[in-house]
Amino acid sequence: MNDDRPVLLEKRGTCLHLTLNRPRALNALSHTMVRLLDEALSHAEQDESIASVLLSGAGDRGLCAGGDIRALHDDARASGRASLEFWRDEYRLNARIARFPKPYVALMDGIVMGGGVGVSAHSGIRVVTERSRVAMPETAIGFVPDVGGTRLLATAPGELGTHLALTGRSVGAADAILCGLADHHIPARLLPALTEALGEPAGQDLSVAGIVQRFATEPPAGELPAQRDWIDRCYAADSVEEILRRLRESGAPAAEAAADELLTKSPLALKVTLAAVRRAARLDSLEAALDQEFRVSSRAFEHPDFVEGVRARIIDKDNAPQWKPGSLAEVDDQEVARFFAPLGPGGQELGLAQGPAGTPVNGGQAE
């Protein structure tokens, strides 16, 4: 019998197995799913009979393709506010996962994008397979990487994170591990056996990490190591315009292709994304980065590029978005800065990096 609950909970031995269960929508996250995950983790944290948590996605296409983009699009078109509350709860869930005190194993099999990265890449034990494609593709829809993605990408080696943030490209297992988005590669065919092993009583001194390591193998070779030279050189620039110039002049065909790709993205989203990643590198906690991302997401939600990007890429699929402004030269620096400005009084801020008296801690305020 089919179970249509959006998140399935099953306790196997001392392991709580959470399954994102919207396979037809590639397990895209709804607000209900975020709340269910948060409730499950809150319970698991207090329940002494639960020693670990395992997260997976239903079906064989991917863990999670991100948030429910169509719902966010419809809310933005209607000038609604539901999306802001979704992000508020989602980002709090991302922080909870990062600080979860018990082993949390995320099976990042297949497509893992946007919000899917948020519920997996902050966990303590992150497993990718030969089928994994991990990405933060927000610039293609006039949005900016969120769910803690700016911090993850800012801490990737060299300028790999900047490259992935601006282009929105997906990476396979080896490159995800290189960029710090995953820890172990396990062949997809072994995931059922891994799941079974995690649900069995622990053997002598065999930790959850030890069980996972028992199944791990070397992943197929990645693409990024051979591209590090031009990526690090070109993306070290302080502006998107200079990055583009360096990509064009690098002489590497792959760099030329990256430049072409950037020109299809929202010019405003590119500039805000570069600023967000650079700022995230100077913040000293995930909570501070999430606070910054909530400000940016709130501003991006109000901008017409988001609705237009989703229309062109997801709904009409004509892949011909009409960005406003239409070129990098037309993007005003003050408009970029506005995305990072405080949201105002009345509890509008996310406030994850706030102290007990409401004062910022751990880098809670971006400049």
Side-chain angles (χ1 to χ4, degrees), residues 192-267:
L194 169 64
T195 300
E196 190 72 23
L198 289 171
E200 294 172 353
Q204 292 185 350
D205 300 323
L206 191 58
S207 65
V208 170
I211 293 172
V212 172
Q213 187 62 52
R214 197 173 70 197
F215 289 87
T217 65
E218 281 296 313
E223 300 176 359
L224 291 179
Q227 301 175 354
R228 280 291 303 274
D229 182 54
W230 65 262
I231 287 175
D232 288 351
R233 184 173 67 253
C234 297
Y235 287 95
D238 292 329
S239 70
V240 179
E241 290 93 336
E242 178 60 16
I243 289 172
L244 274 168
R245 188 189 69 79
R246 294 186 186 185
L247 289 171
R248 292 293 191 205
E249 295 179 357
S250 73
E256 187 75 22
D260 291 340
E261 199 169 350
L262 290 181
L263 291 178
T264 69
K265 315 298 184 186
S266 158

Side-chain angles (χ1 to χ4, degrees), residues 128-130 173-175 177-178 183-190 212-222:
V128 283
T129 75
E130 75 280 3
D175 288 335
I177 293 171
L178 170 64
D183 304 301
H184 306 283
H185 168 263
I186 294 177
R189 61 181 174 78
L190 297 182
V212 172
Q213 187 62 52
R214 197 173 70 197
F215 289 87
T217 65
E218 281 296 313

Side-chain angles (χ1 to χ4, degrees), residues 109-191:
D109 184 34
I111 293 174
V112 185
M113 296 185 178
V117 173
V119 295
S120 60
H122 298 300
S123 64
I125 303 174
R126 305 163 300 176
V127 173
V128 283
T129 75
E130 75 280 3
R131 305 188 300 198
S132 295
R133 300 305 302 177
V134 184
M136 297 297 296
E138 286 77 8
T139 56
I141 57 168
F143 205 64
V144 178
D146 64 338
V147 299
T150 59
R151 180 170 176 83
L152 289 167
L153 295 171
T155 55
E159 296 294 335
L160 293 178
T162 311
H163 172 58
L164 298 182
L166 294 179
T167 63
R169 285 187 180 176
S170 64
V171 294
D175 288 335
I177 293 171
L178 170 64
C179 291
L181 301 173
D183 304 301
H184 306 283
H185 168 263
I186 294 177
R189 61 181 174 78
L190 297 182
L191 293 184

Side-chain angles (χ1 to χ4, degrees), residues 350-366:
L350 182 61
L352 281 175
Q354 300 290 313
T359 54
V361 296
N362 295 328
Q365 296 289 334

